Every structure is written in structure tokens, then in C-alpha cells.
Amino acid sequence: MSTDGPGPRALARAKTIADIKRIGREHLASQGAAALSLRAVARDLGVVSSAVYRYVRSRDELLTLLVVDGYNALGDAVDAALAAVASDPATRFRVTARTVRSWALAEPAWYGLLFGTPVPGYAAPAQDTEAPGIRVIATLLGIIDDAYRAEYLTPPSAEPIVSAPTAADFSAIRAQFGLAAPDWVIAAGLTVWTTLFGAVSFDVFDMYGRDTFADRAAVFELQIDQMLSMLGFARIAEK
């Protein structure tokens, strides 16, 4: 006799794991990733620490769960924002950049776990974190490649000199993501990728200084315009 959906035991386990992750995120925000402790999570969950270890084997495993969820939450936010946007690549790039910034400002501790200072003694396992971790860059590369295919991008007057090892890396990226874009576009995309997350990090971690800019949202829009120019857009889409 078959049943529809998970049974009570599976549902109870899933809820407990969700509660552990929720409390872990609360501790992430209040104490920082380096201070995350399963013993403290167990205390807030109202159980002995040995009970938590039946669901999450170590602090590092909890950090990995939070990293995976964080990347997916950011990726989901970007996907949702793009779902209602027209196909114009410059507009889609602008919406993606704004969404990354908005999510990061709403979830500074979570963003910090993903893109901030590494947690001492912790190395995120690639087999668990790589796929969710590249969701946003895959979206950005897709937008940039669409712009190239549609001939929105103007090549620079002098194309960048790309070393043989880097050209091989670019070829691997082209194959992995199914891109048509040549090296000069991928080089620009690489610079734009790091610029975007650098700009967001400066804002989230208050690296500009408290009184340097009166309107950081306006500064970010200026940065988006500069990134679009770096990519070779001949005109900047309406804001």
C-alpha cells in the first residue's frame, strides 16, 4: 500500500532540521559565523546537545546547510525579480544587480557568510555548495551572452590581452555555461562580476564610511551604469 508524501517521522525530522537552521541563522546574525555553536543552538531549541547531533553532525555541517540555503535564497530572489522583467539584457542586468544588493542589505549576516570573511577552520565542501553558489553568476553570464548574441555590445577599441592559461579557463567557462561570447566579453563579465559583489560588500559592510555618500542607492545606480559601459553596451537602458 503506497502513501502520498512523507510520513510523520520524516515530516518531524524536516521540521527539526528547519528549526535548527532557523536558530543557526539567528545566531549568525547576533554572534557571527565564527561563534556558531551546536550546543548553543540546542539550548535555544530546548533540547540536550546530543539530540541536535542526530540531525546535524557538526558545526561545519550546519554552516554548510546555511551556505547552501543562502545561495539558494539569493538565487531565488534574483529568479523571482527577473520573472516579471522584459527580455532586454541591460534591463535584466540592472534588475539582477539591484536584487543582489537588496537581498544583501536585508540579510547582511547571511550575505557575510557567503561573501565576507572566511570562517576560521571551515572550508565549504564544493560538492554541496558549488551548484547553488554559481546560480547568480550563471544568470549574469546568460544575460551578458544574450546581449552579445543580440549585438547589443560594442567591442573595445583595443581588446584585452588574455594569457594562454586564462584563455583556456575562458574556454572552459564557455563550455560549462553554453556561451557564444568571445574572450573580450568574458573578460569584461569577469570584471563586472567582481565589481558588482565588491560594490555590494562595500555597502553591506559599511566600507565607504558613514558620511561619504548621502544616497548610496544613487551611488549604486551609477555603478550599474559603469558596469554596463564596461560590458560594451552602446546605450544604457532606461532606469
Side-chain angles (χ1 to χ4, degrees):
M1 180 177 178
S2 63
T3 59
D4 295 328
R9 182 175 297 179
L11 289 173
R13 179 176 179 82
K15 183 182 183 306
T16 300
I17 293 175
D19 287 341
I20 290 170
K21 291 192 293 184
R22 172 181 54 79
I23 294 170
R25 281 182 55 201
E26 292 171 358
H27 288 197
L28 196 67
S30 63
Q31 303 168 26
L36 192 64
S37 159
L38 286 186
R39 187 179 298 276
V41 168
R43 182 181 62 244
D44 285 3
L45 190 60
V47 300
V48 296
S49 57
S50 59
V52 172
Y53 284 97
R54 293 202 296 267
Y55 300 92
V56 179
R57 290 170 295 181
S58 66
R59 179 210 68 159
D60 284 8
E61 184 172 316
L62 178 55
L63 281 170
T64 297
L65 291 173
L66 296 177
V67 167
V68 169
D69 282 1
Y71 280 133
N72 280 326
L74 176 57
D76 288 347
V78 169
D79 288 349
L82 290 175
V85 176
S87 60
D88 172 65
T91 300
R92 293 179 70 79
F93 179 89
R94 195 178 292 280
V95 167
T96 298
R98 288 171 179 160
T99 303
V100 170
R101 177 177 181 267
S102 295
W103 186 87
L105 290 174
E107 298 284 358
W110 220 358
Y111 178 86
L113 176 63
L114 304 180
F115 301 106
T117 303
V119 180
Y122 172 72
Q127 68 271 19
D128 297 320
T129 60
E130 181 177 349
I134 64 173
R135 282 182 60 183
V136 173
I137 183 56
T139 296
L140 286 170
L141 284 172
I143 291 169
I144 293 168
D145 197 58
D146 287 345
Y148 171 76
R149 291 173 189 262
E151 300 183 348
Y152 280 98
L153 307 184
T154 301
S157 55
E159 293 191 13
I161 298 172
V162 180
S163 70
T166 303
D169 292 337
F170 285 177
S171 293
I173 290 170
R174 255 190 301 273
Q176 180 180 359
F177 294 98
L179 308 178
D183 283 356
W184 68 266
V185 174
I186 297 178
L190 172 62
T191 302
V192 162
W193 172 34
T194 55
T195 299
L196 170 59
F197 281 91
V200 171
S201 293
F202 258 69
D203 212 349
V204 171
F205 303 135
D206 200 22
M207 297 169 71
Y208 289 118
R210 186 176 301 276
D211 302 320
T212 304
F213 295 112
D215 187 345
R216 289 189 182 176
V219 169
F220 189 69
E221 291 298 320
L222 176 62
Q223 290 168 323
I224 292 176
D225 286 344
Q226 295 301 304
M227 286 184 272
L228 289 170
S229 294
M230 276 193 284
L231 287 168
F233 278 87
R235 60 181 178 82
I236 302 300
E238 289 186 12
K239 299 182 182 183

